[in-house]
């Protein structure tokens, strides 16, 4: 069916839904009415996930406190540096990480690969958080794990279907309670039992470089979290002289700054695991419900301990898993729409993503958490470092990649060898190292290899190709500038000739049939008749 024959469906279904949360689209300024502080607080609400406590505990109990601290800080430094350019582009140009990736070395279809990787990140972490919630329900209510997994999945669906408006309210309203439940027991332990800090610092003392790298590999699997932060940051208001200070604070804190909260939680996880180790054993010490129950027992009556620990776990799981479900549905929708040129609807993939997560939970993925994350980290690192390097080096230092991001079909080549080569080489070689293909001596260094290879190959490929495969066209057929006088995306509106809806300048381009077409209608043009011809290079 030709695109113009499917106009009624496009207008009643895809248009209505994408205008709620701007799936696959630039987020227009007419929708972005929140202040920088509200957007930043909403993005940081996703930091409530409990997996960090388990990750830190697992690293600490395996390798010791000294190695765990070095691993956590090493990974945090890399995540901070690579996350900054991605967060800036998402907030400044109001697009998600997939749209950024398209124009940063991967091409229109090439970024489908990284969208699938990001989608897998969201359901892996949904499964981790769902497992932690199920552990809490078993501990507090005696609920069987299999039923806890199902409950932790189903409770998210009604919360995530409404997009950014509902998520912003949920995260903002629950942040203060969550912070009190986390900070109060830790602060009490440190003050009431100073020896707990000494026991924590002295646990399996000594530094081993291989152990540090193995621990860092687990932590670096969280690098893809920046994609979920950007799903909020793309709704930042335009940066102006009046709000630039709060704008920058919110972007940095809620963008790359998420890693400060993540690293702090991992360190707390080590501390709590060491604190309760003798009482519960190594297996239970990595479970957040056990960790916080052990801490809360020291400061309040026993009858209050389990309800508060359960409240913390459930609240944390809901706060992060609405984000996991939301971001995962966006990633799947992006991929499927480009490949099939049909818009199936984001809500379909909310269910798909949660189904994958439920399968992982029922397969008891929590028991092999660190191994799974160590393997996955190689792919996440390769993707994020490649895109970050393209922005920092190819765009700003070499000038071979266009500074202004492009995501629209017809403006980009389908595949760009710059990012694809760097990503595939980085992930492939680092995975081979992880599985011992180059010997046990270098096996722990697979995350470092992923960083170095992506960092080196991304500019090298841009130089070799002379940047020829970034833009298929430099003119989108509309005279109006893309940016306003402040460098923000223009708010001038145009009517799409296909769906007959009004969109802002960055979301439209000229149709080869004449008139203007929006980016989603062009993506679902199965005949290709609206795609502008390539320009001679």
């Amino acid at each position: 069916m030709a695109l113009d024959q499917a106009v009624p469906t496009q207008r009643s279904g895809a248009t209505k839904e994408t205008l709620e949360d701007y799936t696959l689209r630039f987020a227009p300024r007419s929708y972005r009415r929140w202040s920088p502080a509200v957007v930043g607080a909403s993005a940081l609400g996703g930091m409530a996930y409990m997996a960090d406590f388990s990750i830190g505990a697992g690293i600490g109990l395996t390798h010791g406190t000294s190695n765990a601290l070095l691993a956590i800080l090493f990974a945090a430094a890399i995540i901070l540096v690579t996350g900054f350019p991605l967060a800036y582009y998402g907030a400044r140009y109001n697009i998600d990480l997939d749209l950024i990736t398209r124009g940063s070395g991967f091409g229109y279809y090439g970024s489908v690969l990284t969208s699938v990787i990001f989608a897998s990140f969201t359901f892996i972490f949904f499964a981790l958080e769902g497992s932690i919630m199920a552990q809490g329900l078993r501990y507090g209510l005696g609920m069987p794990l299999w039923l806890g997994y199902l409950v932790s999945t189903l409770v998210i669906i009604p919360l995530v279907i409404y997009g950014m408006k509902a998520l912003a309210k949920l995260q903002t309203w629950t942040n203060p309670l969550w912070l009190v439940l986390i900070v109060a027991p830790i602060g009490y332990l440190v003050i009431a039992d100073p020896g707990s800090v000494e026991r924590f610092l002295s646990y399996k003392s000594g530094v081993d470089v291989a152990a540090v790298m193995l621990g860092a590999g687990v932590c670096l699997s969280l690098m893809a979290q920046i994609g979920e932060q950007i799903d909020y940051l793309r709704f930042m208001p335009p940066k102006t002289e009046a709000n630039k200070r709060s704008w920058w604070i919110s972007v940095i804190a809620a963008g790359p700054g998420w890693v400060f909260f993540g690293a702090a939680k991992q360190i707390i996880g080590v501390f709590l695991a060491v604190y309760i180790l003798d009482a519960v054993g190594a297996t239970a010490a990595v479970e957040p419900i056990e960790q916080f129950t052990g801490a809360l027992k020291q400061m309040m009556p026993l009858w209050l301990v389990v309800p508060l620990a359960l409240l913390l776990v459930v609240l944390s799981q809901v706060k992060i898993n609405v984000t996991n479900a939301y971001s995962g549905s966006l990633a799947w929708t992006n991929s499927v729409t480009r490949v099939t040129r049909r818009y199936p609807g984001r809500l379909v993939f909310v269910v798909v993503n949660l189904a994958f997560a439920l399968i992982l939970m029922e397969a008891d993925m929590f028991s092999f958490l660190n191994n799974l994350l160590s393997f996955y980290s190689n792919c996440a690192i390769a993707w994020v470092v490649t895109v970050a390097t393209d922005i920092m080096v190819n765009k700003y230092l070499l000038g071979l990649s266009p500074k202004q991001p492009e995501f629209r079909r017809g403006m980009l080549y389908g595949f760009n060898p710059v990012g694809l080569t760097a990503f595939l080489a980085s992930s492939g070689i680092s995975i081979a190292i992880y599985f011992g293909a180059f010997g046990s001596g270098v096996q722990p260094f697979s995350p470092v290899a992923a960083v170095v290879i992506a960092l080196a190959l991304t500019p090298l490929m841009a130089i070799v190709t002379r940047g020829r495969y970034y833009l298929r066209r430099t003119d989108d057929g509309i005279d109006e500038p893309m940016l306003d006088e402040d460098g923000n995306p223009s708010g001038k509106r145009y009517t799409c000739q296909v769906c007959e809806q009004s969109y802002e300048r960055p979301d439209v381009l000229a149709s080869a049939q004449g008139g203007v077409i929006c980016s989603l209608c062009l993506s679902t043009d199965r005949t290709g008749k609206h795609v502008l011809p390539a320009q001679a290079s």
Side-chain angles (χ1 to χ4, degrees), residues 299-358:
M299 62 179 293
M300 60 183 57
L302 289 178
W303 63 268
L304 192 56
V305 168
V306 173
L308 282 181
L310 182 58
L311 174 62
L312 171 61
V313 169
V314 171
L315 181 63
S316 299
Q317 187 271 343
V318 169
K319 283 170 69 64
I320 181 56
N321 269 354
V322 292
T323 302
N324 282 328
Y326 176 66
S327 295
S329 67
L330 294 181
W332 285 120
T333 307
N334 263 311
S335 302
V336 172
T337 300
R338 269 175 292 161
V339 172
T340 65
R341 295 176 189 169
R342 292 182 182 275
Y343 182 81
R346 181 180 67 82
L347 299 186
V348 172
F349 290 105
V350 169
V351 177
V352 169
N353 217 45
L354 299 192
F356 282 134
L358 183 58

Side-chain angles (χ1 to χ4, degrees), residues 56-99:
I59 297 170
L61 295 184
T62 303
H63 302 295
T65 298
S66 298
N67 291 320
L69 293 178
L70 290 174
I72 292 167
L73 295 176
F74 176 77
I78 294 176
I79 291 172
L80 182 67
V81 172
T82 56
F84 176 79
L86 306 182
Y88 171 74
Y89 260 59
R92 183 63 162 161
Y93 297 106
N94 312 114
I95 53 179
D96 66 19
L97 187 50
D98 174 72
L99 302 190

Side-chain angles (χ1 to χ4, degrees), residues 40-353:
S42 300
L44 286 175
M47 293 299 95
Y49 59 87
M50 303 294 281
D52 269 328
F53 299 107
S54 293
I55 290 170
I59 297 170
L61 295 184
T62 303
H63 302 295
T65 298
S66 298
N67 291 320
L69 293 178
L70 290 174
I72 292 167
L73 295 176
F74 176 77
I78 294 176
I79 291 172
L80 182 67
V81 172
T82 56
F84 176 79
L86 306 182
Y88 171 74
Y89 260 59
R92 183 63 162 161
Y93 297 106
N94 312 114
I95 53 179
D96 66 19
L97 187 50
D98 174 72
L99 302 190
I100 295 171
T101 299
R102 294 183 196 181
S104 297
F106 283 79
Y108 182 76
Y109 293 109
S111 70
V112 169
L113 178 61
T114 58
S115 287
V116 172
I117 289 173
F118 181 53
S120 67
F121 169 86
T122 64
F123 68 69
I124 287 172
F125 275 84
F126 188 105
L128 288 176
E129 291 301 317
S131 297
I132 291 169
M133 180 174 172
Q135 292 163 2
L137 294 173
R138 179 186 59 182
Y139 188 94
L141 303 177
M143 185 180 293
L145 279 178
W146 69 266
L147 182 57
Y149 297 147
L150 184 62
V151 169
S152 67
T153 302
L154 295 179
V155 74
I156 297 301
I157 295 176
L159 296 174
V160 79
I161 60 176
Y162 294 106
M164 176 62 182
K165 290 180 180 178
L167 296 186
K169 292 178 181 178
L170 171 69
Q171 302 293 15
T172 302
W173 291 350
T174 56
N175 280 346
L177 175 60
W178 180 85
L179 281 171
V180 170
L181 290 173
I182 290 290
V183 173
I186 305 305
Y188 182 86
L189 282 184
V190 171
I191 295 171
D193 184 7
S196 62
V197 177
E198 183 178 346
R199 294 193 297 274
F200 157 67
L201 293 175
S202 62
Y203 180 75
K204 289 186 180 180
S205 60
V207 175
D208 180 82
V209 175
V212 172
M213 290 300 102
L214 286 170
V218 178
C219 298
L220 284 169
S221 65
L222 299 172
M223 185 176 278
Q225 175 65 32
I226 190 64
E228 295 194 352
Q229 301 306 110
I230 292 172
D231 280 338
Y232 288 95
L233 290 178
R234 67 194 176 111
F235 294 112
M236 287 290 286
K239 183 170 76 72
T240 64
E241 280 297 314
N243 73 0
K244 66 179 181 181
R245 179 172 180 152
S246 62
W247 192 93
W248 273 114
I249 290 173
S250 296
V251 170
I252 293 173
W258 78 263
V259 76
F260 294 118
F261 298 90
K265 289 189 295 171
Q266 289 163 16
I267 293 170
I268 291 172
V270 183
F271 172 77
L272 290 176
V274 172
Y275 186 81
I276 67 170
L277 180 60
D278 292 338
V280 303
T283 301
V286 300
E287 296 183 6
I289 185 67
E290 293 277 7
Q291 294 173 357
F292 280 92
T293 298
L296 289 168
K297 282 180 180 178
Q298 308 305 312
M299 62 179 293
M300 60 183 57
L302 289 178
W303 63 268
L304 192 56
V305 168
V306 173
L308 282 181
L310 182 58
L311 174 62
L312 171 61
V313 169
V314 171
L315 181 63
S316 299
Q317 187 271 343
V318 169
K319 283 170 69 64
I320 181 56
N321 269 354
V322 292
T323 302
N324 282 328
Y326 176 66
S327 295
S329 67
L330 294 181
W332 285 120
T333 307
N334 263 311
S335 302
V336 172
T337 300
R338 269 175 292 161
V339 172
T340 65
R341 295 176 189 169
R342 292 182 182 275
Y343 182 81
R346 181 180 67 82
L347 299 186
V348 172
F349 290 105
V350 169
V351 177
V352 169
N353 217 45

